[in-house]
Amino acid sequence: MTQREHPIYDVVGIGFGPSNLSLAIALREHWTSGQEGEVSALFLERQSSFGWHRNMLLPSATMQISFLKDLVTFRNPTSSYSFVAFLHASGRLPQFVNNQDFFPTREEFHQYLEWAQDRVADRVRYGSEVTSIRLVPGDTPEADRLRLEIADGGHRAGRVIDTRNVVVSTGLVPSMPEGAERDERVWHSSEFLDKYRRMDPSALRRVAVVGAGQSAAEITRFLHDELPHAEVYSVIPSYGYSVADDTPFANQIFDPGAVDDYYFGTDQTREAFWRYHRNTNYSVVDDEVIRDLYRRAYDGEVRGSKRLQFLNLTRVTGVKRVGAETRVSLQVGPDAEVRELDCDALVCATGYKGMEPTGLLGELDRYCVRDGDGRYRVERDYRVVTDPELRCGIYLQGGTEHSHGLTSSLLSNIAVRSGEIADSIVARRAGRIAGSPVTVPAEVGGDFL
């Protein structure tokens, strides 16, 4: 097999959501800024097209971060890939400014992401799933390369490429309550709009939403609006929704400098981060949404209607199908009274599990160093600590909350995080080039790119 049949890249990104999109832009801006040489990069995404939480683009739902925390601004305020540049290109910059709001709708931010990815689409291959990663066999100078096998569901199944670095960004994994399995009547919030649009709204007479976070509250409000004939139950494990702390001092937890404070901090420092500041992001809801839902429930009581009901201190213990309905077993209240609720649809806005790359890395996992709790040890530049014999770079965009803190998988620090990974790849490439020439993929511009 000739070298031409195995493209060789400086970096391959696995997964192409906002994090690796930001990385693709950072690498491109490094090259176009006139710095040394273009970094050869390819990004692989198993979805057929770009999408970011498409099933939660609810009407009027807004971002929970400032538009300035876009893909690039905190890294490069002059970037042509910023949200402001997008507004200018879209002809809406004056109107957005007149709106006097730091928080665009989720739909508009998704339009921005699509606009940005379209500008780097020449380095992305959709419908491509990495099925294995292994070292290039043989004790040769090429042993510092990884070999990826890619299945893209068509005539290119089994395609092979080589790379010197991988950046894993496969996203979070939906988490369901114990005893609940997804089907056409039991949904996770990550699939909400798609599943909802397949239903006949008139057939949804009683619906239930499980969860205490922003997604649960937004879906509850959406169903209350869209189904005026239906009863809507909000199943909340806490005593009502808790407000998200977005005050200035608390928001400092998302500053780029806070990553250093966490990474280089003591165990006590890290524990304090989570103890005091989980309420900035986890199982919390914006104040405006909480007040709106409470007002709706109160107005219903005034009118003698309890169409919107909140079941506080309630947990799902089981779900089963009974005829055309879904029967949900609940433990309710401080006495854990057991009751059952029959509904036409159950939406589980019960969060996600962190990214776990072990299965994807396969045999490479044995080269990765773990800490006392069995988690990957990760350098400050998001590169997994590996045995010296593995000279390739494995970077993580996500799954590093234990080492880098709350912002590891969030948009808040996406521009700086991706910039740090890009800088690390560029620096390692420069060191390698100083000793030997770089091989640029022969297929660039060919049938693979």
Side-chain angles (χ1 to χ4, degrees):
M1 188 170 286
T2 67
Q3 187 185 70
R4 184 174 179 82
E5 292 174 310
H6 285 312
I8 304 168
Y9 295 91
D10 290 312
V11 57
V12 170
I14 303 174
F16 198 68
S19 291
N20 269 351
L21 169 57
S22 180
L23 174 61
I25 295 170
L27 291 171
R28 175 152 293 182
E29 290 191 330
H30 167 271
W31 174 53
T32 56
S33 68
Q35 300 180 54
E36 180 183 352
E38 181 178 11
V39 174
S40 56
L42 178 68
F43 294 86
L44 303 169
E45 170 56 53
R46 64 182 176 183
Q47 293 188 97
S48 59
S49 61
F50 181 84
W52 174 71
H53 294 307
R54 280 187 294 246
N55 286 306
M56 282 300 296
L57 300 180
L58 305 178
S60 301
T62 60
M63 298 294 294
Q64 293 176 277
I65 59 170
S66 164
F67 69 89
L68 292 172
K69 292 185 175 181
D70 57 20
L71 298 168
V72 295
T73 297
F74 273 37
R75 173 182 60 81
N76 177 15
T78 65
S79 174
S80 66
Y81 291 85
S82 69
F83 184 78
V84 170
F86 157 73
L87 290 173
H88 183 268
S90 303
R92 292 200 303 268
L93 183 56
Q95 295 93 320
F96 183 87
V97 172
N98 290 340
N99 203 34
Q100 299 183 23
D101 197 339
F102 262 76
F103 306 99
T105 64
R106 204 172 291 154
E107 181 179 7
E108 184 173 32
F109 199 81
H110 195 276
Q111 291 176 5
Y112 158 63
L113 295 176
E114 290 179 311
W115 169 83
Q117 74 84 31
D118 188 58
R119 298 179 63 193
V120 295
D122 60 317
R123 288 294 179 264
V124 187
R125 285 296 166 265
Y126 292 103
S128 297
E129 182 173 4
V130 176
T131 58
S132 73
I133 309 175
R134 62 185 187 277
L135 279 171
V136 173
D139 186 16
T140 69
E142 293 185 357
D144 65 344
R145 298 177 188 170
L146 300 174
R147 181 156 292 168
L148 280 62
E149 186 167 330
I150 304 158
D152 51 14
H155 61 283
R156 286 179 177 167
R159 181 88 183 203
V160 172
I161 61 173
D162 291 352
T163 181
R164 295 183 174 87
N165 301 279
V166 293
V167 182
V168 181
S169 183
T170 51
L172 303 173
V173 180
S175 178
M176 295 289 287
E178 186 175 355
E181 299 290 338
R182 288 187 280 177
D183 61 25
E184 67 271 18
R185 298 277 181 157
V186 180
W187 317 330
H188 188 266
S189 56
S190 61
E191 57 188 350
F192 173 66
L193 282 179
D194 180 58
K195 289 293 185 71
Y196 175 77
R197 288 165 179 163
R198 297 182 191 179
M199 301 294 295
D200 175 5
S202 64
L204 298 175
R205 299 160 311 222
R206 178 181 291 164
V207 294
V209 182
V210 183
Q214 184 76 15
S215 295
E218 289 179 348
I219 291 172
T220 298
R221 181 168 65 174
F222 173 85
L223 292 172
H224 187 258
D225 287 341
E226 293 290 311
L227 304 173
H229 59 282
E231 297 176 2
V232 180
Y233 289 81
S234 177
V235 180
I236 307 175
S238 55
Y239 205 80
Y241 298 115
S242 297
V243 67
D245 187 352
D246 61 353
T247 53
F249 285 110
N251 263 340
Q252 291 179 121
I253 199 72
F254 301 114
D255 290 353
V259 177
D260 283 337
D261 292 334
Y262 189 92
Y263 186 88
F264 297 108
T266 64
D267 289 342
Q268 292 83 356
T269 299
R270 295 184 182 190
E271 195 274 332
F273 268 76
W274 290 100
R275 183 173 71 249
Y276 290 115
H277 300 293
R278 284 187 64 88
N279 65 341
T280 58
N281 184 68
Y282 296 94
S283 297
V284 289
V285 183
D286 286 346
D287 179 79
E288 174 270 326
V289 178
I290 292 175
R291 293 181 182 278
D292 183 37
L293 284 172
Y294 190 89
R295 188 177 300 112
R296 290 166 186 241
Y298 182 76
D299 288 346
E301 288 194 26
V302 170
R303 296 191 301 269
S305 167
K306 290 192 175 181
R307 192 169 69 82
L308 176 60
Q309 295 191 40
F310 297 93
L311 306 180
N312 298 333
L313 295 178
T314 302
R315 296 184 179 276
V316 173
T317 59
V319 179
K320 62 182 179 180
R321 178 62 57 84
V322 179
E325 293 187 320
T326 294
R327 179 161 296 169
V328 186
S329 297
L330 304 170
Q331 284 188 340
V332 183
D335 298 326
E337 172 193 353
V338 178
R339 60 173 290 190
E340 292 181 331
L341 176 67
D342 290 341
C343 56
D344 300 301
L346 174 69
V347 186
C348 299
T350 43
Y352 297 83
K353 300 174 184 176
M355 185 183 79
E356 176 48 71
T358 302
L360 177 64
L361 294 178
E363 66 180 39
L364 295 180
D365 179 67
R366 65 188 178 94
Y367 296 99
C368 300
V369 180
R370 295 179 179 266
D371 64 17
D373 294 317
R375 304 167 301 191
Y376 286 131
R377 286 183 54 196
V378 187
E379 301 283 5
R380 176 60 183 83
D381 60 2
Y382 300 92
R383 183 174 180 265
V384 175
V385 177
T386 58
D387 293 341
E389 58 193 291
L390 182 65
R391 289 175 283 166
C392 311
I394 301 172
Y395 294 84
L396 302 181
Q397 291 248 51
T400 58
E401 287 84 359
H402 64 285
S403 56
H404 289 70
L406 281 74
T407 64
S408 295
S409 59
L410 302 180
L411 288 174
S412 292
N413 198 36
I414 191 171
V416 174
R417 181 173 71 244
S418 296
E420 290 171 343
I421 294 174
D423 288 344
S424 176
I425 292 170
V426 169
R428 286 168 54 82
R429 175 180 181 270
R432 177 172 48 78
I433 292 175
S436 61
V438 63
T439 303
V440 178
E443 274 78 357
V444 170
D447 67 342
F448 197 78
L449 270 180

